[in-house]
Amino acid sequence: DTGVSQDPRHKITKRGQNVTFRCDPISEHNRLYWYRQTLGQGPEFLTYFQNEAQLEKSRLLSDRFSAERPKGSFSTLEIQRTEQGDSAMYLCASSLEQVYNEQFFGPGTRLTVL
Amino acid sequence: AQTVTQSQPEMSVQEAETVTLSCTYDTSESDYYLFWYKQPPSRQMILVIRQEAYKQQNATENRFSVNFQKAAKSFSLKISDSQLGDAAMYFCAYRSAPGGSEKLVFGKGTKLTVNP
């Protein structure tokens, strides 16, 4: 399968714990995005990388959230001191740098904070 | 900031019939892209159709077509000959033209049910 992959697919954690999610983009894609989707809502943008550079961050990305993309390949999203409000689906997408810049989405990681 | 509004939380259609999903948006930009994404239950989101704001001609992809009204800031999706596999959440999304923000701004979605 050459699509965007995310790991884990599901994560259950207790409030206050740290969690880390991984995203592997389509191999030739140099752009990578993170979104958060809560129940009944559309995805909300969190952050965007071009290669290894983090070029755009949403105000939703509080200081408890950090994202990295070392070497411009896979990316990790870490949430520290999780809160119940962090429960959501975390979506990763990737794209090529081109005019239309179609974003291809992964299956998401569903986080439940107890 | 740009916003996208989908005023129909749920829609239903009979198999083989036609359905139209509504979307309005707000922006001060003159050049941008609009998209419709489909999110089937427990499956990943896929692009259905896109429209460049500078193009007057409405985009068409097989059974899917859009009605883009730039002045009214309206972007509706028409699904013809509906099939059971069309059942999904449909999201309207906005993106700035190259040089602007790379993020997609999504509406809240419309859940489409297709009845056999």
Side-chain angles (χ1 to χ4, degrees), chain A residues 37-44, chain B residues 39 89 91 107-109:
Chain A
Q37 185 177 21
T38 54
L39 202 60
Q41 303 292 320
E44 295 174 292
Chain B
Q39 189 176 41
M89 285 292 293
F91 293 96
K108 290 187 176 182

Side-chain angles (χ1 to χ4, degrees), chain A residues 4 9 12 32 54 59 71 73-74 82 92 102 104 108:
Chain A
V4 178
R9 296 291 305 277
I12 299 174
L32 188 146
Q54 189 174 20
R59 283 172 288 181
K71 303 178 183 178
S73 56
F74 71 92
T82 52
C92 177
E102 178 182 344
F104 293 82

Side-chain angles (χ1 to χ4, degrees), chain A residues 4 9 31 33 35 37 40-45 48 56 91 98-107, chain B residues 33 35 37 39 42 44-45 47 50 52 54-55 91 95 98 100-109:
Chain A
V4 178
R9 296 291 305 277
R31 294 180 168 184
Y33 312 79
Y35 293 84
Q37 185 177 21
Q41 303 292 320
E44 295 174 292
F45 172 78
Y48 148 65
E56 198 171 348
L91 298 170
Q98 56 183 210
V99 173
Y100 298 125
N101 193 22
E102 178 182 344
Q103 295 183 25
F104 293 82
F105 283 81
Chain B
Y33 298 111
F35 305 87
Y37 277 87
Q39 189 176 41
S42 301
Q44 56 211 75
M45 196 170 313
L47 180 65
R50 64 168 174 250
E52 296 90 335
Y54 63 86
K55 289 188 177 180
F91 293 96
R95 184 176 72 82
S101 172
E102 290 295 330
K103 68 182 180 185
L104 289 169
V105 178
F106 287 88
K108 290 187 176 182

Side-chain angles (χ1 to χ4, degrees), chain A:
Chain A
D1 184 16
T2 57
V4 178
S5 61
Q6 293 187 245
D7 183 69
R9 296 291 305 277
H10 303 273
K11 179 70 177 179
I12 299 174
T13 191
K14 292 182 178 178
R15 189 174 51 189
Q17 298 294 306
N18 299 343
V19 294
T20 300
F21 309 141
R22 177 181 171 122
C23 171
D24 286 90
I26 294 171
S27 59
E28 65 269 25
H29 286 188
N30 63 337
R31 294 180 168 184
L32 188 146
Y33 312 79
W34 285 99
Y35 293 84
R36 181 174 69 184
Q37 185 177 21
T38 54
L39 202 60
Q41 303 292 320
E44 295 174 292
F45 172 78
L46 292 177
T47 191
Y48 148 65
F49 291 86
Q50 180 160 312
N51 300 312
E52 66 275 9
Q54 189 174 20
L55 297 185
E56 198 171 348
K57 289 172 62 173
S58 164
R59 283 172 288 181
L60 290 174
L61 211 66
S62 74
D63 56 5
R64 296 186 299 105
F65 287 71
S66 63
E68 295 182 341
R69 193 183 182 197
K71 303 178 183 178
S73 56
F74 71 92
S75 176
T76 57
L77 177 67
E78 181 183 17
I79 309 174
Q80 296 181 327
R81 305 182 303 281
T82 52
E83 302 172 355
Q84 288 187 326
D86 296 331
S87 295
M89 178 75 84
Y90 290 84
L91 298 170
C92 177
S94 71
S95 73
L96 277 172
E97 185 175 357
Q98 56 183 210
V99 173
Y100 298 125
N101 193 22
E102 178 182 344
Q103 295 183 25
F104 293 82
F105 283 81
T109 293
R110 181 167 295 283
L111 172 66
T112 302
V113 182
L114 302 176

